[in-house]
Amino acid sequence: MFRGAVNFENCNKIYTILAPIETSIWVQIGAFHSKTNASNVLGKVSGIGSGQISQVDVDGQVLHRVRLGPATSVEMADDLLDGVFGLGFTGARIVVD
């Protein structure tokens, strides 16, 4: 069911309605070539929230991303980010993936 002020009567256009894409909110602390470095960083921020290390290929190089989350709300992500900043990881950022 549609909500809002859209009137589709007498309309000669075709509209495609897409279902929402499910995403997650993360705080990414960094991405490292060394899995050991990534593990060390995760250990330093683990007191703020649960996190993980995931591998990603960037231009043929494997990087180990350190992320906290997923956060259940934007407010939670902001709190996680504040905590990470407080530990000196000022390059951290919120990502939606």
Side-chain angles (χ1 to χ4, degrees), residues 27 48-50 68-71 75-85:
V27 172
I48 296 168
S50 63
L68 294 182
E75 293 78 14
M76 180 182 179
D78 286 339
D79 290 343
L80 291 171
L81 186 62
D82 286 344
V84 170
F85 283 167

Side-chain angles (χ1 to χ4, degrees), residues 46-70:
S46 63
I48 296 168
S50 63
Q52 67 179 33
I53 297 172
S54 59
Q55 289 186 9
V56 63
D57 184 295
V58 177
D59 297 328
Q61 295 192 39
V62 174
L63 295 178
H64 305 277
R65 295 186 300 201
V66 180
R67 291 180 169 186
L68 294 182

